[in-house]
Structure formats: C-alpha cells, structure tokens
Amino acid sequence: MRLVSIAFRDVKPRSFVLHPRLPLSPRPLHLCGRDTQLSVPGYGKNARSYFSAAPLNGSESPTDTLLSRLSDNLQTIQKVPVQKQKQDLPLIQKTEWFGKWRALLTDPSRLAIESDFDRQGPSKTWPYLLLVDRFENRSDIVLWSCLLDYQKRVNGDPGVRAVWAGFWGRKSLYDVQGPLTPTFWRTFLEAALRLKDNKFLENIWVYSEWMYDRHGVKWPQLYSTVLSHFLQTRQYQSVLQWQLRLAPNFYPGAEEFASIIKQFVNEPELYRTLEFLYVASPDHQLYDTLIPYLYNLGASQLAIKWRRVCVRHDDVPLAPIPSRPFLRFLQGYFPHEPLRPEESAAISDSSHESAEEAERIELSREFVNRVHGGTFGISIKNYDDRLGAKWLASSWVSLNVAISTIAALGVEQIGPLSLQSIALRAGTSQGVLNRIEQLRGKGITIKDSNYFRLVLYLAKIKDDELLLDLLHSDLHPDVFDDSELQARLIVSTASSEDWKTHRLVLAARLVAIEKSAREAANALVHVHILRRDLQGLAKLLDDMRTMEITLNQEQTSFIFDSFVTEAKSTFLSPDSLYFYLPICRHLLSMEIAVPVRCWRKFLFCLARQNRMDDLEKLCVELVDTFTSSQSSRPGFVPVHPEDIPEPMREPLSGIDNLLGVFIPLDLPTQTPLHPLRQIFDNKLLGTIVRYSFHPSADEPSRKSPALQINSQRYMAYNGGRVVRLLRALRDRGLFLHKERLATYVKLRLVTLYGPGYPTKRHLQTARAKTSLTLPEMKALLDEAWGEELLPPIEKLRAEIETRGLKEMSRNEMYLQRVGKTTPQLRVVL
C-alpha cells in the first residue's frame, strides 16, 4: 500500500538511501526511501510507501522517492505528523486494488514503454500496441492509474501532464466510484493548478463537462479544489471566472460550500470575493453554519456583516439553537438592527416544542395560575416529586410536552426523582445537559442535592457509562445525602464485590468532598474580607484557582457591595482603596467579572486624589482587558451580568452562581453599552481632566516644566500626563471624541488664563501656581496629544476670553446671592 494525495508530492527515483525509521527486512529491498516528513500509519501484506523530503510547494522540482516490496511482516513504524487530508479521500492505496496490473507496478521498464504515448521514447521500437490502445483496456482506469503513478514518481507534474495528453483525445475514462479513482482524478487537477497551466486546467474542465453530459458523473471535488486554490493564492479574477464556469454543473452542495467559505471567511481581503460566491451560488443555506461559527470565534462584527448578506437573500435560521447566542447578542448591543420573524422565533423560549406538541397542550402558566389563584380562592398546591417523576417518565407523552405541562402549571422547582426520570429519557450526557438547560429556560430549577450534583458532574465529564449506572441504580437519591450510610455502603459493596454500586458511592463522596471544599474556601474568603487580610486573601484566591474551586457569587457580591458602600461620594481612604483594588484585579485575573460601577468608583477616587501613577496603570489595564485580553474562551471577555443588555440578561436569570457572561472582544467600543463606554463616560473623562489641572500635595514642583527635556516635558505636569494618557487609551481602542476632550481642556484653561478670578480656593491656588504662558501651555498639551489638540493661539485666546466673561457673569451672580464680593488677587496672594 502507499500514501496518496500528498499535497504537491513529487517523486524521483534518484539518490536512494535507507529510511532511518524503517526496520530492515529479511527480504532484499530494491528501492529505499529518502528521509521524510510524512508517515505511514501501518503496512500490511504487499505494502508500498512513498517518502519525500521536498518542500511542500509547487516551485520545487520533484524529489519524492519510492519504497517497494516491503516485507510481509513489516511492523508499524513511528508516526510523524501528516498533512491533513480530506475525509472522503483514502490515505493509502492497497496493492490488491490494482488487480491484474499488480505485476506491472514493479516493472519500471515496461511502465516506461507503456506510458510513452507519442512513441518518441522507450516505445519507439516497441513492436506491439500499447496496453491503453488495446480494445479490452479502453476504459480500464486501473491501468491508467499504474501509468499515472509511474509518471508522477519519475517526472513529477510534467509527467502527469504527459499522461493527460495521452488520454485527452481518447475520452474513454469516466469511472468515479472505484477505490483508485479519487487519487486518479485529483492528481491531474492538482498538477494543473501547481503548474499554473491554464490550458491544462481548461481541458480538465471541458473533460469534466463531457463526463457529466455523456455519463452523468461529476469529477470528484472539482469545484472545491479549484475554488480553494484560487482563493488561497488570492487570484480574485480566477475565482469569479471559475465560479461562473463550475457552479451550474459542479456545485458541491450547501455543506461543502459552507466549509469553503469558513476556510477563508476570517481574511478581510477576501470578503467581497466570498460574498460574490455566496450570491452566485445556486442555494442560499449558509446562515445556520456560518453565523454561529463566526460568533463562536469572537468575530461578531464579521458575523453581523454576513448576517445582513444572508437575510438579503432570505437565508434565515432553520435550527434556532446554534444561532441563539448570536441573536441575543445582536438584540442586546444593536437594538436598532431589525430581526426577521424567523430570527425572533429563534430567541424565544418555546423552541423546544414542535408545532404538533404545541397543539396537543394549549395551557399557559398565566392561565393555570389564574385558575388556581386567588381569583377563585384555590391555594397553590405543592409539587409532589414522586407524582411528577411518574408523569415525566410516562412514555405516552413526549418529554417536551411533559416539561411544558409542569411549566404551565406554575412549577418552579423539581426534585431528584423528577430529574432521574428526565435524565433516563434523555439517555446521554449531552442529552441530560440539554434537558437541564431546557428546564432553566422554562424557569424551573432543580432542588440542590448531592444526587443532582453527581448527575451534573458525570454529564459534564461525559461519563455516559457511570451516568447510566447511576440512573438505573436501585439507590434512592436521598442515599447520596447521607454520609454515614455511604460509608457503610462503601464497605459492604467492596465485601460483596458489587463494584458498580461501589463506584457510584465513591463518585458521590468525591462530589460531596468538592462541595465541602468549595463551601469551606468561600467561608474563609468571607473571613479574610472581614479581617481586611489582603495577603491571606490573595494566597487563598491563588489556591482556589489552582485547585479549580469556584468562588461563590455571594462572596463576589459581598466584595463589590462593600466597596461601593464604603466609597461614598467617590471618597475612599488610601487603606480601603489599596485593599479593594488588588482584590478586584485578582478576581479579574481569575476571569471573574467586576461590575462597571466598581471600576468607575476606583477611577473617580484615583482622579480626585491625583494619584496619577495608579490612574494611568488602571486605565491601561481596563482598556487592554476589554479590547485585547486572552481568556479561556479565545476572542471573548467576561462581563458582569449586571452590565450586559437586558435581552442577554433575561434568559440567564435561572442560572446559579453566574459570575460573568462572555462577550466578543471585537465589539466596537463606541457601542453605547460596551463596558468601556460605560466606564469612561463623559462624566468620568471630564472629572479626570478637571482634577489633573488641580494642584496636588505629592506632585513635584511645576515652576519650570519648560526646563524638562522637550520630548517629555509634559510628564512634569499632571494636565499633560492626562492628555497623553487619553491619547494612549484612544490608540489602544478606547472610543474618544477629540473635540470633546479639547472642550474639557479649554474649560480648565479658562480657569487658569481667563478674565476675572476664580471664586473657589483650590482654583485660585492652581491659577497662582501656573507659571506657563498660554502659548507655552498650548504647546505642551499639543505635544502630549501627539498632534494639534487645541486651535491656533489667537482663536484659543478669543475662546478663553468669551468663555471667561460668561463664567465671570455667573460667578458674580452667585456671589451676590450669597452676599459676598469678588476676591481680589492681592488679597489672595
């Protein structure tokens, strides 16, 4: 047997050496392979293999070699990574597939004669007809495969072209079903593409049209191979040309077409070309495949673009579940984007019911609650878990209808017996998880118990065998909550060698231990917070992350609420500030989302206390987190549930211990509900700029910033540092209006250089300490921004004068109301 369809595989029987990984056989080897980058999974009787050291590109000359007549008892050699093959293409060709031509494979002299179709070489003096010219071999594709195989190994792609020229005029081959046919047809096609021979490729197309027209068969993978090659080599005109040629008769179907699009969809320069391919395709069924694929990669904006293309061509979701996360994201962050009725139906909670099942039960929760409610004086009945389990296990009604019925009756929680009935009918781990998700979507929770945790644990690790043993076990679910009984069961089942039950009880103890460890760790977290033990808390959180112990939502909420409550009016003592800030940074490193309100409090505190170093560091960290961070889900970043839009938050209301929701990193920061847009709103930006122009006790002397090195002189002035910081944040992806920032700066310059004098003491101090002239200040701020931020000096001076006069008028009116006079500069000094 031998390897086939290695991309750009070229072979020459020259310079043979033994392959270092092949054991020597007792039988002599006629040919030995050269060093290789490929592998042979295994060899059987009469096996053959090719090895190549040639680079995988079409510009190199053929360098593959042949290894023939391996021993019958040759052992499997060590595997080396192999280039990924198409699933429908066999990796090896067995010698027995060549039938009566097996002997010809090992006769290179005869192969040279039989493949000399124009009789200008070895067959020039051959007195007989060539085998391919005999009538009985006219349509023998196995014979042609032998000849093609030989020419490919000896002469590479030019040899393949010579074989093509040999049977081009005969038009006798059209078999596409045999075991050798995939390699046979693909070899011609790949050679034409590598040789960049347009005439060769067009002849293949003409021949394929003849095969389809006369015999009703299609050249295997013609469309996907040609289009993928031209897309990969960025030959856009060729893509469009061959799409129009091949689509009418060789379109591969929606599934394979979608795989071609998915292969190149992340390359922006190919977007228009791929859109043309989609528009020109015979059917439009790309939504269910492409949109969820892009969204799961984190390419939400590309998914939105492709959704618009699909919707324009009436390509809508047919399967609601794959597209549901994307559609909820779209509805939440882009509410003005209209949805088609099919898309709106996909995000509704009734997706688990079919139309026939909906007709069989026409009850709603509101209706039944009204019937059983106070209007008629009937009290609400408690849910009977045993009775509910019998209903859910009943085979005369589908499980979807059974769940919908208890939901319509207003049941909000089921017990372990009902869970057992549902899980038994689900049958698999994935089915159990889907049913639990369906219950959650209906607003039904499952009573917390060790049995439920064990079912969930086994389903998540996909241990179907142990899960089914648990569901079919005679043990009552309450047994798993009795630790003493479990201890006795471990001993008794080991003595009786009832290993199935023994495994179940041990698994239950493992889950119980994990629960106890989690409860103890979270209780200890609470103690460290109350004691303000930052070092102990940091070490504990590191240990929890290492042991994969989850922090409870109650503890995170306690941390966030305590901080916000303590930081009233954005004032926070340094001790509290530097206690909570490291904690939130630590939680962020654990992918536990911190609410926007906490980050805003931190930034307000740092800005008002003029802690520029910490402010700069935290701002950069936040922008990087929401624009370019790496998480356990590539392309996404966790966001606190309270900061996501309502359409995304509502379906998550029934999820326990929800610490965060992942949103795509490529969400534009100018989106109104983007976390960065919520953090760095106009109020915070104005506050940061305003307080940067206030004097600070720990700020170094600013009497002569002009004496600093020109390229860094703005670093000695907090106002310049803030302008530089905001420019850096904008360059990192933060949405920031340059004009709005210039307005904030002008308001500060009115205080420092405008007419009149400020009424507030700290503003008077700031004005008195300013030693720069207005042109010098403008030059410093423009330098900090990296380009011109403020208007020309004359225009700036006029704006300051105008704004200053208005500010003086407001100040005088205020002072008259409070019975004070305008402060005099000589008095202030």
Side-chain angles (χ1 to χ4, degrees):
M1 58 184 68
R2 71 194 126 187
L3 291 173
V4 298
S5 188
I6 303 302
F8 307 154
R9 177 176 61 87
D10 305 318
V11 182
K12 276 189 179 180
R14 300 190 182 97
S15 305
F16 293 105
V17 295
L18 288 176
H19 190 279
R21 293 192 180 93
L22 289 177
L24 295 177
S25 169
R27 297 173 59 183
L29 296 178
H30 292 271
L31 299 173
C32 300
R34 297 178 64 185
D35 197 9
T36 180
Q37 296 174 350
L38 305 177
S39 72
V40 182
Y43 299 91
K45 188 175 181 180
N46 298 326
R48 296 162 50 122
S49 175
Y50 302 151
F51 299 89
S52 172
L56 296 182
N57 58 63
S59 63
E60 299 292 333
S61 60
T63 57
D64 288 355
T65 61
L66 169 67
L67 180 63
S68 63
R69 295 191 182 181
L70 288 174
S71 168
D72 291 344
N73 60 353
L74 189 60
Q75 301 297 321
T76 302
I77 66 174
Q78 181 179 355
K79 293 184 179 181
V80 184
V82 183
Q83 183 175 353
K84 186 177 179 180
Q85 306 292 328
K86 288 189 175 294
Q87 295 180 356
D88 56 348
L89 190 64
L91 180 64
I92 56 177
Q93 283 183 312
K94 296 181 180 179
T95 307
E96 52 264 28
W97 290 351
F98 290 87
K100 64 181 181 180
W101 305 113
R102 290 171 61 182
L104 184 61
L105 288 172
T106 57
D107 190 347
S109 300
R110 184 65 182 273
L111 285 169
I113 293 172
E114 297 297 340
S115 60
D116 182 20
F117 304 106
D118 57 3
R119 289 187 173 265
Q120 298 297 317
S123 65
K124 187 174 183 179
T125 58
W126 184 252
Y128 308 104
L129 281 175
L130 297 179
L131 291 175
V132 296
D133 291 331
R134 296 181 182 182
F135 181 78
E136 63 270 18
N137 300 331
R138 182 172 180 270
S139 300
D140 195 336
I141 197 171
V142 179
L143 172 60
W144 282 99
S145 295
C146 291
L147 304 179
L148 177 63
D149 175 82
Y150 171 76
Q151 285 293 330
K152 172 66 177 176
R153 288 186 284 111
V154 174
N155 298 313
D157 289 337
V160 174
R161 181 163 49 189
V163 175
W164 173 262
F167 87 95
W168 160 250
R170 291 173 171 84
K171 287 189 172 61
S172 58
L173 301 180
Y174 52 86
D175 181 17
V176 295
Q177 298 299 327
L180 297 172
T181 55
T183 303
F184 180 80
W185 300 110
R186 187 179 182 87
T187 301
F188 287 121
L189 190 55
E190 290 182 344
L193 293 172
R194 281 195 300 269
L195 290 171
K196 301 179 181 179
D197 189 334
N198 292 331
K199 184 177 181 181
F200 188 2
L201 188 58
E202 289 176 358
N203 286 344
I204 288 178
W205 170 53
V206 172
Y207 195 93
S208 64
E209 292 285 358
W210 171 83
M211 291 171 58
Y212 183 72
D213 180 63
R214 296 293 299 273
H215 302 282
V217 296
K218 295 183 179 182
W219 187 299
Q221 298 178 354
L222 177 63
Y223 180 95
S224 57
T225 303
V226 173
L227 270 294
S228 297
H229 171 78
F230 287 128
L231 285 170
Q232 189 172 10
T233 55
R234 303 297 190 271
Q235 300 182 51
Y236 307 116
Q237 286 297 117
S238 298
V239 171
L240 306 183
Q241 178 185 16
W242 284 97
Q243 163 69 13
L244 297 176
R245 285 179 173 178
L246 299 178
N249 292 332
F250 300 98
Y251 180 72
E255 184 176 352
E256 188 170 345
F257 178 76
S259 67
I260 297 174
I261 299 295
K262 286 164 61 176
Q263 184 180 358
F264 300 98
V265 73
N266 275 332
E267 303 180 31
E269 65 272 18
L270 291 177
Y271 172 74
R272 291 297 178 188
T273 305
L274 296 178
E275 182 181 0
F276 170 82
L277 291 182
Y278 170 75
V279 173
S281 62
D283 53 13
H284 298 133
Q285 299 178 16
L286 203 60
Y287 195 113
D288 286 330
T289 302
L290 185 61
I291 305 304
Y293 170 78
L294 289 172
Y295 182 74
N296 290 332
L297 290 179
S300 65
Q301 300 313 296
L302 193 56
I304 291 174
K305 291 175 65 175
W306 273 103
R307 173 199 164 268
R308 292 169 183 162
V309 175
C310 292
V311 169
R312 277 201 305 269
H313 295 86
D314 294 325
D315 186 358
V316 293
L318 302 178
I321 294 179
S323 303
R324 186 173 297 157
F326 166 76
L327 290 174
R328 284 174 175 165
F329 165 81
L330 183 67
Q331 189 181 36
Y333 284 100
F334 303 93
H336 300 297
E337 191 83 20
L339 298 182
R340 293 283 292 270
E342 295 84 355
E343 294 176 312
S344 299
I347 57 179
S348 64
D349 292 332
S350 58
S351 59
H352 292 279
E353 290 188 24
S354 64
E356 296 178 358
E357 292 169 345
E359 293 177 359
R360 292 173 58 186
I361 176 168
E362 298 179 352
L363 299 175
S364 67
R365 177 177 299 193
E366 292 76 15
F367 175 78
V368 176
N369 284 341
R370 182 183 177 188
V371 172
H372 291 173
T375 305
F376 297 94
I378 302 175
S379 60
I380 298 176
K381 304 298 188 297
N382 293 326
Y383 177 74
D384 189 327
D385 194 34
R386 291 182 178 274
L387 182 61
K390 292 180 180 179
W391 164 253
L392 292 167
S394 178
S395 59
W396 66 270
V397 63
S398 72
L399 188 55
N400 285 335
V401 171
I403 293 175
S404 298
T405 302
I406 63 173
L409 291 172
V411 175
E412 296 182 352
Q413 188 179 71
I414 61 174
L417 293 175
S418 298
L419 171 64
Q420 184 182 31
S421 299
I422 293 174
L424 280 170
R425 297 186 69 179
T428 63
S429 298
Q430 189 58 47
V432 171
L433 295 176
N434 291 339
R435 291 301 178 181
I436 293 175
E437 183 65 27
Q438 180 182 0
L439 290 170
R440 186 176 295 143
K442 299 287 185 182
I444 301 174
T445 59
I446 301 173
K447 184 179 179 181
D448 187 27
S449 64
N450 284 343
Y451 184 82
F452 168 55
R453 281 191 290 272
L454 181 56
V455 170
L456 192 60
Y457 170 77
L458 296 176
K460 286 183 176 179
I461 65 174
K462 300 190 182 302
D463 190 344
D464 287 348
E465 180 183 356
L466 192 56
L467 176 61
L468 291 178
D469 289 344
L470 172 64
L471 298 176
H472 291 284
S473 173
D474 294 333
L475 297 176
H476 192 278
D478 292 343
V479 171
F480 298 95
D481 292 315
D482 191 338
S483 58
E484 295 182 1
L485 179 57
Q486 290 178 36
R488 295 198 299 269
L489 281 174
I490 291 175
V491 177
S492 62
T493 53
S495 302
S496 62
E497 297 186 355
D498 183 4
W499 303 119
K500 183 182 294 185
T501 306
H502 189 75
R503 287 181 62 204
L504 287 176
V505 178
L506 289 178
R509 292 298 293 269
L510 175 63
V511 173
I513 290 173
E514 290 182 354
K515 177 190 175 185
S516 300
R518 176 177 171 180
E519 291 176 349
N522 279 274
L524 194 55
V525 166
H526 193 81
V527 171
H528 282 305
I529 296 172
L530 293 177
R531 295 178 58 187
R532 295 296 185 95
D533 183 4
L534 180 60
Q535 184 176 359
L537 180 60
K539 186 177 184 304
L540 177 59
L541 292 177
D542 285 335
D543 292 340
M544 292 176 67
R545 176 168 50 186
T546 303
M547 300 173 64
E548 298 183 354
I549 298 177
T550 306
L551 190 64
N552 287 343
Q553 184 181 7
E554 292 78 9
Q555 302 305 325
T556 59
S557 298
F558 177 71
I559 295 172
F560 303 146
D561 294 340
S562 298
F563 166 64
V564 173
T565 301
E566 192 169 343
K568 293 180 179 179
S569 301
T570 67
F571 173 79
L572 196 65
S573 65
D575 292 341
S576 297
L577 176 63
Y578 292 108
F579 172 73
Y580 286 107
L581 183 55
I583 293 177
C584 288
R585 280 186 167 129
H586 212 119
L587 295 179
L588 192 63
S589 68
M590 298 171 63
E591 295 191 0
I592 298 176
V594 179
V596 164
R597 56 191 171 101
C598 293
W599 295 126
R600 286 175 56 81
K601 286 285 186 181
F602 284 124
L603 294 175
F604 271 115
C605 290
L606 294 173
R608 293 191 175 187
Q609 297 178 23
N610 256 325
R611 302 181 182 274
M612 288 301 303
D613 293 337
D614 294 324
L615 179 66
E616 290 176 348
K617 184 177 179 181
L618 183 57
C619 287
V620 171
E621 288 178 1
L622 290 176
V623 173
D624 287 347
T625 296
F626 290 105
T627 57
S628 59
S629 63
Q630 299 294 326
S631 67
S632 59
R633 186 178 179 186
F636 287 78
V637 61
V639 177
H640 196 273
E642 71 181 43
D643 299 323
I644 61 175
E646 185 63 28
M648 296 179 66
R649 189 187 315 151
E650 184 177 357
L652 305 174
S653 58
I655 299 179
D656 296 329
N657 204 45
L658 181 62
L659 298 176
V661 179
F662 282 98
I663 66 170
L665 273 173
D666 70 340
L667 177 66
T669 56
Q670 62 264 33
T671 307
L673 293 179
H674 192 285
L676 287 179
R677 189 75 183 274
Q678 297 181 63
I679 294 173
F680 294 94
D681 63 354
N682 293 335
K683 181 178 180 181
L684 176 62
L685 292 176
T687 299
I688 292 176
V689 173
R690 181 170 68 254
Y691 279 88
S692 68
F693 284 84
H694 290 183
S696 169
D698 57 349
E699 187 178 359
S701 174
R702 298 192 301 261
K703 292 184 178 181
S704 56
L707 299 179
Q708 302 289 331
I709 299 175
N710 288 337
S711 60
Q712 297 180 352
R713 60 176 181 170
Y714 56 83
M715 296 300 293
Y717 188 73
N718 281 351
R721 291 183 64 179
V722 163
V723 170
R724 184 61 182 172
L725 169 64
L726 295 178
R727 176 56 187 260
L729 297 182
R730 194 183 78 156
D731 293 342
R732 289 173 178 264
L734 178 66
F735 177 72
L736 183 64
H737 280 292
K738 176 182 175 182
E739 295 76 12
R740 193 181 298 274
L741 173 61
T743 301
Y744 295 150
V745 172
K746 291 173 188 177
L747 292 176
R748 298 306 100 209
L749 296 182
V750 168
T751 302
L752 300 180
Y753 300 100
Y757 211 73
T759 57
K760 297 180 179 179
R761 177 66 64 179
H762 64 278
L763 297 180
Q764 296 171 2
T765 305
R767 181 160 181 163
K769 287 187 175 183
T770 301
S771 59
L772 294 176
T773 63
L774 182 59
E776 291 174 337
M777 179 65 76
K778 172 183 163 23
L780 183 144
L781 297 176
D782 287 343
E783 179 186 343
W785 182 251
E787 58 183 352
E788 189 175 57
L789 173 67
L790 299 172
I793 187 63
E794 296 302 327
K795 183 177 180 181
L796 177 62
R797 200 185 301 275
E799 287 189 37
I800 292 176
E801 185 73 18
T802 303
R803 291 177 181 269
L805 293 175
K806 294 181 180 179
E807 184 69 22
M808 284 180 57
S809 177
R810 286 195 295 267
N811 289 341
E812 290 177 358
M813 293 176 60
Y814 167 75
L815 292 174
Q816 289 177 2
R817 285 199 305 269
V818 297
K820 295 184 177 181
T821 60
T822 304
Q824 301 296 321
L825 179 59
R826 60 180 181 82
V827 177
V828 174
L829 296 177

